[in-house]
Amino acid sequence: MSKKEIEIIDFQPEGYEPLLDYQTWRVAVLKYCEDLEIENVNTMQKHLETDEVFVLLQGNVTLFVAGDGERPEHIQAIRMQPHKIYNIKKGVWHEHIMDEAGEVLIVENQNTCDENSPLYDLDEALIKELYASAGREVPAQL
């Protein structure tokens, strides 16, 4: 079969990996890595030029959203369900946690990058809010 007819792309073992860019859009996958365990989450991100679509492929993934202000506020946890599309609107702070089986398909603008996707370092109060929204006990040592 020729690449002209179909392109078949394998997923990487862990982390974020862009898989396919075409004109203005990108398809990527996010798989479990230690950075996505709740005790390692200390930032949230927003995209200034694109919505971002997530689709749960497998495992358990919790998506956090925290408004579209200058900083994350009122963190809400959404436990993702398979076969549902989660469209995070442009400018909304977000992050995720997942278990070792977690795998998410991502669709976003092809030009999404660090320059148009600022990170916000979470302070202790926001980290506690993140834990609470996920129904997790806050560790004594943050």
Side-chain angles (χ1 to χ4, degrees), residues 43-48 52 54 63-76 78 88-96 117-122 126:
T43 62
M44 292 191 94
Q45 179 180 52
K46 67 178 176 178
H47 303 298
L48 302 176
E52 187 172 26
F54 299 101
L63 179 62
F64 298 96
V65 295
D68 61 357
E70 289 297 312
R71 64 186 297 273
E73 294 181 346
H74 310 295
I75 297 174
Q76 297 177 4
I78 301 119
I88 304 300
K89 297 296 186 171
K90 177 174 75 171
V92 172
W93 294 104
H94 61 281
E95 187 53 81
H96 0 0
S117 301
L119 291 175
Y120 188 90
D121 292 325
L122 300 177
L126 285 170

Side-chain angles (χ1 to χ4, degrees), residues 5-22:
E5 295 171 342
I6 188 169
E7 186 174 3
I8 300 171
I9 302 166
D10 287 328
F11 295 6
Q12 82 291 353
E14 66 178 38
Y16 171 82
E17 180 72 26
L19 300 174
L20 178 66
D21 287 349
Y22 182 75

Side-chain angles (χ1 to χ4, degrees), residues 6-70:
I6 188 169
E7 186 174 3
I8 300 171
I9 302 166
D10 287 328
F11 295 6
Q12 82 291 353
E14 66 178 38
Y16 171 82
E17 180 72 26
L19 300 174
L20 178 66
D21 287 349
Y22 182 75
Q23 295 181 357
T24 62
W25 55 268
R26 167 183 300 141
V27 175
V29 70
L30 179 65
K31 288 187 173 185
Y32 167 83
C33 63
E34 287 183 3
D35 291 346
L36 298 172
E37 292 181 5
I38 196 165
E39 61 270 12
N40 297 325
V41 173
N42 56 19
T43 62
M44 292 191 94
Q45 179 180 52
K46 67 178 176 178
H47 303 298
L48 302 176
E49 298 181 7
T50 185
D51 286 8
E52 187 172 26
V53 171
F54 299 101
V55 179
L56 178 63
L57 299 177
Q58 66 178 22
N60 295 299
V61 177
T62 300
L63 179 62
F64 298 96
V65 295
D68 61 357
E70 289 297 312

